[in-house]
Amino acid sequence: MPITILAFTIIAILVTTIVILLIRQQARQQDLQTLKILQDTLHQGFQETRLQVKEALNDYSSDVGKRVDQLTQTTDLHLKEINQQVEKRLSEGFEKTNETFNNVIKRLVLIDAAQKKITELSTSVVSLQEILTDKRSRGAFGEVQLSALIRNVMPEQNFSLQHTLSNGKRVDCMLFLPEPTGNIAIDAKFPLENFKILIDSSFSETEKKNAETQFKIDIRKHIQDISEKYIIPGETTEGAIMFIPAEAIFAEIHARYFDLVEIAHRARVWIVSPTTMMAILTTARAVLKDAATRQQLHVIQKHLHLLANDFERFQKRMDNLARHIEQAHSDVNEVHTSAKKITQRFGQIEKVELDNPTTHPTLLDTEME
């Protein structure tokens, strides 16, 4: 009995196991079928999704291509505009650069010409310095400059170059001016040796100090010589002129050596430069013109008197002419009256009736007034 139960239990377990296995197998088969269905569905969905993605990609690619083409065209258009602007700017810049370059070339030419003139001027300055170094040449230079100034302003008869005075001294120039100014002597020599040392930086302060002292001594002596030689009572005016043909020296004397100017004033010697000399000559020319005008006053008065006489005769003749015109006017009025009466007479004659001579018995008896 127990064995049978055990066997039955075993069989039941086996059957149960087999049933379970069958159920599992059936479930597995169902799972496989479901998996296959799912796989097929997934595959079909994947295929459809792939097609949709492909179509979407194709559409997107087409759209992107169109946009790229449009962008390319727009970019090409902008690039062309930018290229045109760049070419225009480059052309304008090239023209301006070319113009600037031409201006630079012109300026360089002008600078080169100016450099040549500066070189020539430097050569002239060196030559002038060489001239002014020698005392005799320096005197000739002053005389030439003074002569040029005077000849440009004064008449020939009112000055004399290298004029000899009554004391035997020869002055560089003598101006002949009317009274009360009188004749003025002009000296064109000036001491320059020590002044050159004053403006030369190569000399020491001691040398410049000594040169300054000697320069003042030279100027003082030159002023005294001019005062003694060229101021002669009765022959020249009460003063003389010391002509300095260098504006720098003239300015230096008046700026730093005012005591020399005072000495010159006391000695009645007037220190002048080319500029102030021109002013003096212009004034002298005005004095000559005024004197010539005064000399011609009597001639002007004579002509005015003759003109007054002529006008008086003209007035008398004009009065006579007026009387004649008035008489002629009166005669014309009388002739006009007579002409009117004659005209009236002819009118009366025309009205006479020839067939009846007794119609107007008083016609022949009428007198014409």
Side-chain angles (χ1 to χ4, degrees):
M1 184 65 179
I3 296 172
T4 303
I5 295 170
L6 180 61
F8 181 78
T9 302
I10 293 171
I11 292 171
I13 292 171
L14 290 174
V15 171
T16 303
T17 304
I18 291 170
V19 172
I20 292 171
L21 289 174
L22 290 173
I23 292 170
R24 288 182 178 178
Q25 185 176 3
Q26 187 178 2
R28 184 177 296 173
Q29 288 178 355
Q30 290 178 355
D31 291 337
L32 289 174
Q33 290 177 358
T34 303
L35 182 61
K36 185 177 180 182
I37 292 170
L38 182 60
Q39 185 177 2
D40 292 338
T41 302
L42 290 174
H43 181 71
Q44 185 178 359
F46 179 75
Q47 291 294 331
E48 292 177 358
T49 303
R50 185 178 180 182
L51 291 174
Q52 291 178 358
V53 170
K54 184 176 181 181
E55 290 177 359
L57 288 175
N58 290 332
D59 294 339
Y60 181 75
S61 176
S62 177
D63 188 29
V64 170
K66 291 180 181 179
R67 292 186 178 182
V68 169
D69 292 338
Q70 186 178 1
L71 180 61
T72 302
Q73 293 177 0
T74 306
T75 304
D76 290 339
L77 182 61
H78 287 319
L79 287 175
K80 288 181 181 179
E81 292 178 356
I82 293 173
N83 188 23
Q84 291 177 357
Q85 292 180 359
V86 170
E87 288 181 356
K88 183 179 179 181
R89 295 290 179 84
L90 288 175
S91 178
E92 293 177 355
F94 179 75
E95 291 178 358
K96 291 182 179 179
T97 303
N98 190 22
E99 183 180 358
T100 304
F101 183 72
N102 291 331
N103 291 332
V104 170
I105 292 177
K106 292 180 181 179
R107 296 295 178 86
L108 289 176
V109 172
L110 294 176
I111 291 173
D112 185 50
Q115 186 67 30
K116 291 181 180 178
K117 291 182 179 180
I118 290 174
T119 303
E120 295 175 357
L121 182 61
S122 299
T123 304
S124 300
V125 170
V126 172
S127 301
L128 179 61
Q129 186 175 4
E130 292 177 354
I131 291 174
L132 295 178
T133 302
D134 181 64
K135 186 174 182 180
R136 182 175 299 176
S137 300
R138 185 172 67 250
F141 172 74
E143 293 172 7
V144 170
Q145 190 174 8
L146 177 62
S147 175
L149 288 173
I150 292 177
R151 291 183 185 277
N152 288 332
V153 180
M154 300 296 292
E156 290 287 340
Q157 66 272 14
N158 292 105
F159 69 90
S160 175
L161 300 177
Q162 299 300 319
H163 182 75
T164 302
L165 300 174
S166 60
N167 58 3
K169 304 296 181 181
R170 179 176 293 179
V171 66
D172 295 323
C173 179
M174 178 66 77
L175 294 181
F176 303 115
L177 300 178
E179 297 296 337
T181 304
N183 302 330
I184 303 176
I186 304 175
D187 181 85
K189 296 177 289 293
F190 60 97
L192 184 63
E193 291 81 4
N194 292 290
F195 183 79
K196 288 177 58 181
I197 299 176
L198 292 176
I199 62 175
D200 193 344
S201 59
S202 62
F203 290 93
S204 63
E205 292 297 328
T206 303
E207 291 174 331
K208 289 184 178 182
K209 189 67 177 177
N210 295 332
E212 182 179 10
T213 302
Q214 188 61 42
F215 175 73
K216 294 173 68 175
I217 294 173
D218 294 341
I219 294 294
R220 191 179 295 109
K221 182 178 182 303
H222 192 54
I223 292 172
Q224 190 65 30
D225 291 341
I226 293 174
S227 177
E228 293 176 355
K229 294 179 181 179
Y230 305 139
I231 299 178
I232 303 174
E235 184 176 356
T236 67
T237 187
E238 295 181 354
I241 296 176
M242 183 175 73
F243 177 69
I244 300 179
E247 297 285 349
I249 301 176
F250 176 82
E252 187 73 12
I253 291 174
H254 282 75
R256 297 182 55 187
Y257 307 107
F258 192 73
D259 55 335
L260 295 178
V261 179
E262 290 181 349
I263 293 173
H265 287 170
R266 288 195 297 269
R268 294 173 298 178
V269 175
W270 307 317
I271 302 175
V272 300
S273 67
T275 302
T276 53
M277 188 67 201
M278 179 61 71
I280 292 174
L281 294 176
T282 304
T283 304
R285 184 180 178 89
V287 170
L288 292 174
K289 184 176 181 180
D290 183 68
T293 303
R294 287 199 304 270
Q295 291 177 0
Q296 297 298 324
L297 283 178
H298 65 283
V299 178
I300 296 173
Q301 290 176 351
K302 178 181 178 181
H303 285 287
L304 287 175
H305 180 69
L306 294 176
L307 182 61
N309 294 334
D310 292 337
F311 187 77
E312 184 178 358
R313 286 193 296 270
F314 172 78
Q315 184 66 38
K316 292 180 180 179
R317 292 171 182 176
M318 191 67 188
D319 293 339
N320 293 331
L321 179 61
R323 287 194 297 271
H324 288 303
I325 292 174
E326 185 178 358
Q327 182 65 37
H329 180 70
S330 176
D331 294 341
V332 168
N333 289 333
E334 293 177 356
V335 170
H336 181 66
T337 302
S338 299
K340 287 176 65 177
K341 290 182 179 181
I342 292 172
T343 302
Q344 292 176 359
R345 180 70 64 183
F346 275 110
Q348 292 175 358
I349 293 172
E350 288 178 355
K351 294 179 181 180
V352 174
E353 296 180 0
L354 298 177
D355 295 337
N356 190 5
T358 61
T359 305
H360 301 283
T362 62
L363 179 63
L364 297 177
D365 296 333
T366 305
E367 294 181 359
M368 183 177 64
E369 296 180 0

